[in-house]
Amino acid sequence: MGSSSWVLRCCRLLALAVVATALACQAASDFHWTSGGWWKVSKGWETVYERTCWTKHCRGKYTTCAAPCMARCRRHHGELIGQESKCRVEWWKKRCQCRTETKTWPRPVAAAEALPTTTQPAATQPAATQPETDPLLSPLQRSALDKHNEYRRKHGVPLLAWSDEVARSAQSHADRCVFAHSLGAGYGENLAWGHQDIEKAIKDWYDEIALYNYNSPGFGMGTGHFTQVVWKGTQEVGCARGNCPGQNLWTCQYSPAGNVMGAFAENVPRPR
């Protein structure tokens, strides 16, 4: 490859990285985080934004509806922003003139090149990652994602991506302030009560590794948090702190769920 071709390729890659960063920063400045996700209102329309990133690209989904109509629906059904179930059914979507737009943009190349290797085929399990300085993550979200991926690197499993959709489900359960697992969410789930911050909660979950028997892999009541944190087949995570009086309730949910009976040997590898 000639020097001019190499320079041209580098310029193109740099341009892609600049575009990706600009898109993320624009979204961060326009939207603010609520218990239901990234949300904004402009000129009578409200938009809920969901974003997921993989190795080489990110995808954002924007759902825009008439703001006064959605506000009436939420008051009627007692639902929160971004957590609507009854207000997102087809009848209300038509009444509130909802529309959905999906955008995809490239991830900065430098972040993709820094990924650790994995033996899992990319066709069935993309090695998801998230930039350390992603402006769309709140401090709590970034801490939760980074701490999970810190431990997953030790086991050589694909890194997790942050999911706003999973995070909304986690927030909905955490705000119930009941230290018991949710039912019917369809996600894996770890709970912690009373920890000062999310990193300490995740550390306690991971420290269950001391009790895990790799010679007899399987589920255990004393190790289930650890095995979910490092579960190889899990791709996305979303965490939240419950707005509970006098105490913190931390909830992390995972997609796809881990701790599948009969699948521990291939999904919970030893530390490298």
Side-chain angles (χ1 to χ4, degrees):
M1 181 183 294
S3 59
S4 60
S5 298
W6 181 84
V7 171
L8 179 60
R9 179 175 180 269
C10 289
C11 290
R12 287 174 177 170
L13 295 179
L14 179 60
L16 289 174
V18 170
V19 170
T21 303
L23 284 169
C25 290
Q26 179 181 7
S29 62
D30 291 343
F31 288 83
H32 63 276
W33 178 256
T34 71
S35 62
W38 293 101
W39 178 79
K40 72 172 181 178
V41 174
S42 177
K43 299 180 180 179
W45 295 90
E46 68 170 45
T47 301
V48 175
Y49 173 64
E50 303 173 21
R51 187 262 302 109
T52 303
C53 288
W54 291 275
T55 306
K56 295 184 179 180
H57 71 279
C58 294
R59 184 182 66 214
K61 184 174 78 171
Y62 301 80
T63 301
T64 302
C65 305
C69 177
M70 290 299 292
R72 287 195 300 271
C73 180
R74 282 192 291 268
R75 286 196 300 270
H76 179 73
H77 292 295
E79 295 186 328
L80 299 176
I81 295 170
Q83 297 182 10
E84 301 91 344
S85 57
K86 295 179 181 178
C87 292
R88 294 293 178 184
V89 298
E90 198 62 30
W91 188 87
W92 273 104
K93 288 170 67 175
K94 290 181 179 179
R95 183 182 179 91
C96 297
Q97 306 174 61
C98 295
R99 62 183 184 273
T100 299
E101 180 182 6
T102 301
K103 296 181 180 180
T104 302
W105 63 89
R107 284 284 307 281
V109 175
E113 291 176 345
L115 292 175
T117 58
T118 174
T119 57
Q120 182 137 350
T124 58
Q125 168 80 37
T129 187
Q130 199 89 4
E132 295 291 335
T133 57
D134 187 340
L136 290 177
L137 294 183
S138 69
L140 184 154
Q141 295 169 343
R142 185 176 298 115
S143 294
L145 181 64
D146 289 349
K147 199 65 176 177
H148 275 90
N149 285 334
E150 173 188 332
Y151 292 132
R152 292 176 71 87
R153 287 187 184 96
K154 293 183 178 182
H155 294 258
V157 298
L159 304 186
L160 297 178
W162 182 267
S163 168
D164 291 336
E165 180 179 354
V166 178
R168 285 197 299 273
S169 176
Q171 186 71 64
S172 177
H173 181 62
D175 285 344
R176 294 187 176 97
C177 298
V178 176
F179 190 58
H181 283 293
S182 59
L183 299 175
Y187 302 124
E189 184 173 75
N190 281 346
L191 303 176
W193 184 261
H195 294 72
Q196 182 179 356
D197 56 54
I198 188 67
E199 290 188 349
K200 289 182 173 62
I202 297 170
K203 179 181 183 300
D204 273 2
W205 296 336
Y206 181 80
D207 284 348
E208 293 177 0
I209 187 176
L211 303 175
Y212 189 70
N213 185 359
Y214 282 99
N215 296 320
S216 181
F219 179 76
M221 293 301 294
T223 58
H225 299 100
F226 155 69
T227 51
Q228 174 60 90
V229 167
V230 302
W231 192 266
K232 185 176 182 180
T234 295
Q235 301 176 32
E236 297 176 339
V237 66
C239 300
R241 179 177 66 86
N243 297 312
C244 307
Q247 197 63 274
N248 292 325
L249 176 61
W250 303 101
T251 302
C252 287
Q253 293 184 347
Y254 306 84
S255 177
N259 291 341
V260 178
M261 303 307 291
F264 281 78
E266 60 265 36
N267 281 283
V268 187
R270 297 175 184 269
R272 296 195 289 187

